[in-house]
Amino acid sequence: MSAVHTVIDSPYGPLTLVAADGTTLSGLYVLDQRHRPGDEGFGHPDPTPFTEVARQLAAYFAGELTRFDVPLDLRGTPFQRRVWAGLLDIPYGETMSYGELARHIGAPGASRAVGLANGKNPVSIIVPCHRVIGADGSLTGYGGGVDRKRRLLELEGALPSADRQGSLF
C-alpha cells in the first residue's frame, strides 16, 4: 500500500500525519520542523487511517489524555529506534536530560548521539521528544522550535523551574 497523509489543526499549528504503509502512523510533523521530509514523500491525502490518532491528539491537547495508544511505524536506524523507544518511557509531566536518556537506553556517554536521534524523531508529540531537556534544566533543541517545546511542557505541567521565567505563554 502507498503512503497517505492528512493535515489536522492543533493549538500548535497544523500537524501533518503520515502513514508510509497507508495504515500505520509513521510521521507527525509541525510546520517548519527541522528534519521534516519533503511533502512529496507523504503520499496522497486520505484522512481515513488517522481518525483515532486525531481523536487522541485532541484529547491530549484538551488535557484529558496522558498516554497515547496508537500503533506506530517508526523508521530509522537501530540506534534511533532505541532512542525513540526510550522517549516513550518518559512519563507525561516529567522530563529527562539527554545524558539520563542515554543511560536509560544503555548507552552512557552517548548523549550527543541521543540528541541527534531525538532531533530526527519522525512522530513528534506522540513520541515525546519535547520531554528531553538540557542537564541544567534548560530547553535546548527541539525540531519543532523551543517555543512549541515550552508550550507542550507547560501543557503537561513539566516546565523546568529554570525556564519558567522565560515563558512567553
Side-chain angles (χ1 to χ4, degrees):
M1 196 169 220
S2 61
V4 297
H5 78 280
T6 194
V7 179
I8 63 171
D9 290 326
S10 85
Y12 305 91
L15 302 177
T16 301
L17 308 177
V18 179
D21 67 358
T23 61
T24 309
L25 185 69
S26 60
L28 189 164
Y29 302 102
V30 298
L31 281 181
D32 304 321
Q33 181 169 335
R34 195 174 343 129
H35 305 296
R36 177 187 169 116
D39 290 355
E40 64 278 357
F42 292 164
H44 67 277
D46 180 0
T48 309
F50 305 108
T51 304
E52 181 60 16
V53 175
R55 186 195 69 74
Q56 288 190 31
L57 283 165
Y60 169 79
F61 295 135
E64 300 164 357
L65 182 83
T66 60
R67 187 164 181 85
F68 292 94
D69 181 23
V70 294
L72 301 172
D73 178 13
L74 300 176
R75 298 177 179 197
T77 68
F79 183 78
Q80 287 172 330
R81 289 194 313 269
R82 203 163 109 209
V83 169
W84 302 334
L87 293 172
L88 291 167
D89 291 338
I90 305 172
Y92 179 95
E94 295 184 25
T95 58
M96 187 179 280
S97 73
Y98 293 95
E100 289 169 329
L101 182 56
R103 286 188 295 281
H104 176 73
I105 66 165
S111 58
R112 283 183 182 258
V114 163
L116 291 171
N118 193 51
K120 293 197 175 186
N121 171 19
V123 182
S124 64
I125 301 171
I126 291 176
V127 177
C129 51
H130 61 278
R131 294 180 188 154
V132 182
I133 60 173
D136 63 357
S138 62
L139 302 187
T140 58
Y142 181 61
V146 173
D147 288 340
R148 271 194 195 100
K149 180 175 189 159
R150 179 179 291 114
R151 291 178 60 204
L152 288 165
L153 290 174
E154 282 179 339
L155 170 72
E156 296 184 10
L159 191 64
S161 57
D163 199 72
R164 287 186 198 279
Q165 50 188 198
S167 178
L168 302 172
F169 300 94

